[in-house]
Amino acid sequence: MAKKIGIITLILSGVYAVGMYFYIFHSGNGEIPNSLKGTVADPAVFMSSHELLLSEDYSKIRNFLFFVVTPLEWLIYLFILLLGLSRLFEKKATSKAKSTLFQTIIYVFWLSLLLYIVMWPMDYYRYQLSKEYGISTQTVSSWVKDGLIDFGVNYMMSVIMMSVIYWFIRKSTKRWWLYTWLLSIPFSIFLMFVQPVIIDPLYNDFYPLQNKELEAKILALADQANIPSDHVYEVNMAEKTNALNAYVTGVGSNSRIVLWDTTLNRLTDKEILFIMAHEMGHYVEKHIYFGIAGYILLTFVGLWLTSKIMDWIILRYGQALKIKKIGDVSSIPLFLLVTSFLMFASSPLSNYVSRYQESRADEYAIKLTEDHAAAVSSFQKLTKAGLSEVNPPLLVKWFRYTHPPMLERINTVYEKNPNIEQEKKEERKKGK
């Protein structure tokens, strides 16, 4: 049975990979509509032919990797079970510790180490790909350091979560998912609270905005919107990437707006103010708290489905997967496989909500700044810096895009002000 499951899974995975290859590389999706060609939304207007070629190639490769790597992780979890590696790790853990807590700590370490080693070549390829296309500026030593930090942080989180979840499973095989969900609410909010001050600084240095003249403009904009803006930070990303970014993170007193130094160095003050107004839009419309509520709801449904699916799989295929009962730590790869699949399947819904919120933040920023030219130019520069795909294929948009594609974002501004190109020309003349 185990051999049959493995062969069928490999065949289906191969067919899926070939199908995604043809969809992404040869479907012809993602072309610019004729009605938008020659407008400010057309990448041919603001990108060179070389940049367009790089953007197309880079986007296709990254999209293909996304759709292949995630199922590859499921395949790894499955074969860890089929080949008896999970049972081996469990035996190692039980032979070295009597306490179930320490058994979980040992088991999760061996599982995490195996996953890190197996996925390292793919992670390194993606790093080299980013370097090759001029996105990453990070040295190998810095990249390895970040990878080890990732391993440590993920290991600690996994130990905490698996210890709690499997303690609940042993106490109640029927309602463990409900108790896990109830505990996940304060735990998730706590993580969001501490992430800006404990986790994020492990990777980069964060400090208050150093450009005081720009800070004064941001404070004035925030005051205009009745927003407290004493939590604006910049982060040193230039040593790692050429991409531009800004985001909102944290909750409560630890909430902050973060600007990458690449954004500060390469955008004008007006463009930065537009981006800040966008982030302020998230604050005003309380998107972080709506996001928390949505996460809580999805977690409730996801854990309930995980419980039902795991029970069914163990009942039917437990012998082939070498899982005696759900409470054994050897079933952790199955838990990770099921939850990863459910998260992937639900991503179109969560991404749709995120894109709606980003659109709302764009609208807020345009109303607050009344600067259509800065909106368009900032979008264009973000596209160029990250070699972003402005009009991705439908499946890519559904599964990957938490923001509306740049074609949509720029066109939204263009529709509000068709004279935007003339305004940009006049702005450039004034600059001279």
Side-chain angles (χ1 to χ4, degrees):
M1 175 64 80
K3 184 177 179 180
K4 182 179 179 181
I5 293 174
I7 293 173
I8 292 174
T9 303
L10 286 174
I11 292 173
L12 291 176
S13 298
V15 171
Y16 165 80
V18 171
M20 290 309 305
Y21 174 83
F22 279 100
Y23 175 77
I24 291 172
F25 286 94
H26 300 289
S27 67
N29 291 325
E31 294 184 357
I32 307 301
N34 289 329
S35 60
L36 295 180
K37 288 183 177 179
T39 69
V40 291
D42 184 355
V45 170
F46 59 88
M47 296 176 75
S48 68
S49 57
H50 181 62
E51 288 171 331
L52 286 171
L53 182 62
L54 289 177
S55 173
E56 182 180 359
D57 290 345
Y58 184 57
S59 297
K60 286 180 177 180
I61 295 171
R62 289 181 69 224
N63 291 337
F64 179 69
L65 288 176
F66 170 82
F67 281 103
V68 170
V69 168
T70 302
L72 175 62
E73 292 177 0
W74 306 340
L75 203 62
I76 293 170
Y77 291 137
L78 178 62
F79 274 87
I80 286 174
L81 292 167
L82 292 176
L83 296 176
L85 293 174
S86 186
R87 287 286 294 170
L88 177 63
F89 294 157
E90 184 183 42
K91 288 179 181 179
K92 282 181 173 291
T94 53
S95 67
K96 293 183 179 296
K98 294 183 178 180
S99 165
T100 55
L101 172 60
F102 285 103
Q103 289 173 6
T104 304
I105 291 173
I106 296 169
Y107 176 91
V108 171
F109 173 78
W110 287 112
L111 179 63
S112 300
L113 183 62
L114 176 63
L115 292 171
Y116 179 80
I117 293 171
V118 171
M119 294 302 298
W120 193 89
M122 181 61 70
D123 292 336
Y124 183 72
Y125 172 74
R126 289 199 276 196
Y127 160 69
Q128 285 293 341
L129 182 71
S130 183
K131 289 273 287 187
E132 181 182 344
Y133 281 85
I135 305 300
S136 175
T137 60
Q138 191 172 19
T139 63
V140 174
S141 59
S142 174
W143 177 79
V144 170
K145 177 184 174 184
D146 282 354
L148 293 175
I149 293 173
D150 274 339
F151 176 83
V153 171
N154 291 335
Y155 171 65
M156 292 301 297
M157 291 296 103
S158 297
V159 165
I160 293 171
M161 290 188 292
M162 292 301 103
S163 297
V164 172
I165 290 171
Y166 275 77
W167 186 82
F168 282 140
I169 289 175
R170 294 184 191 104
K171 293 296 181 181
S172 175
T173 56
K174 297 296 183 182
R175 293 189 177 87
W176 67 265
W177 65 271
L178 179 60
Y179 302 142
T180 299
W181 174 73
L182 290 172
L183 189 60
S184 73
I185 298 174
F187 181 69
S188 299
I189 295 173
F190 173 75
L191 281 182
M192 291 179 184
F193 182 78
V194 301
Q195 179 169 335
V197 295
I198 295 180
I199 299 176
D200 290 347
L202 294 174
Y203 300 89
N204 300 98
D205 295 325
F206 291 77
Y207 34 83
L209 195 61
Q210 294 183 325
N211 186 333
K212 297 306 175 184
E213 184 179 343
L214 177 60
E215 183 182 48
K217 295 178 181 179
I218 293 173
L219 290 172
L221 188 68
D223 183 63
Q224 182 182 339
N226 297 316
I227 298 172
S229 60
D230 54 336
H231 297 150
V232 180
Y233 286 77
E234 61 178 285
V235 55
N236 61 326
M237 290 298 295
E239 60 187 25
K240 293 185 177 181
T241 182
N242 283 318
L244 313 178
N245 195 21
Y247 58 92
V248 177
T249 186
V251 292
S253 59
N254 278 354
S255 63
R256 57 176 61 173
I257 296 173
V258 178
L259 285 160
W260 287 9
D261 59 352
T262 51
T263 304
L264 294 166
N265 295 337
R266 295 165 62 182
L267 297 190
T268 66
D269 283 4
K270 287 186 176 182
E271 291 163 347
I272 292 172
L273 287 174
F274 173 78
I275 290 176
M276 289 298 300
H278 171 97
E279 301 304 334
M280 292 175 187
H282 287 304
Y283 180 94
V284 169
E285 301 213 351
K286 305 186 186 309
H287 287 161
I288 289 180
Y289 298 100
F290 281 112
I292 292 173
Y295 171 80
I296 291 171
L297 178 61
L298 281 177
T299 302
F300 178 87
V301 176
L303 284 170
W304 176 77
L305 285 174
T306 299
S307 172
K308 299 300 181 183
I309 294 171
M310 285 185 69
D311 284 343
W312 179 80
I313 290 176
I314 292 173
L315 180 64
R316 186 163 183 176
Y317 302 106
Q319 186 174 358
L321 298 176
K322 299 172 180 60
I323 301 174
K324 294 181 179 179
K325 59 181 184 295
I326 191 173
D328 292 339
V329 291
S330 59
S331 71
I332 286 179
L334 179 61
F335 175 86
L336 296 174
L337 191 160
V338 173
T339 53
S340 176
F341 175 81
L342 292 176
M343 287 175 64
F344 183 80
S346 66
S347 58
L349 174 61
S350 57
N351 288 345
Y352 174 82
V353 174
S354 177
R355 288 195 300 271
Y356 172 76
Q357 292 180 337
E358 296 297 336
S359 295
R360 292 283 298 175
D362 281 348
E363 291 176 10
Y364 180 87
I366 292 169
K367 289 179 181 178
L368 184 62
T369 63
E370 297 181 342
D371 195 339
H372 297 80
V376 168
S377 59
S378 63
F379 289 150
Q380 291 175 340
K381 289 180 181 179
L382 285 167
T383 302
K384 291 180 66 173
L387 294 179
S388 304
E389 191 173 21
V390 298
N391 191 33
L394 190 60
L395 285 180
V396 175
K397 177 182 175 180
W398 284 357
F399 281 90
R400 291 205 66 196
Y401 275 57
T402 57
H403 291 60
M406 282 301 185
L407 187 75
E408 295 178 15
R409 300 179 79 178
I410 297 175
N411 188 50
T412 298
V413 182
Y414 177 70
E415 288 179 342
K416 293 179 183 295
N417 186 359
N419 299 319
I420 187 69
E421 186 59 39
Q422 184 61 35
E423 289 183 7
K424 287 181 66 180
K425 289 179 180 178
E426 293 176 358
E427 190 70 27
R428 285 195 292 267
K429 288 181 181 179
K430 290 180 182 178
K432 292 180 180 179

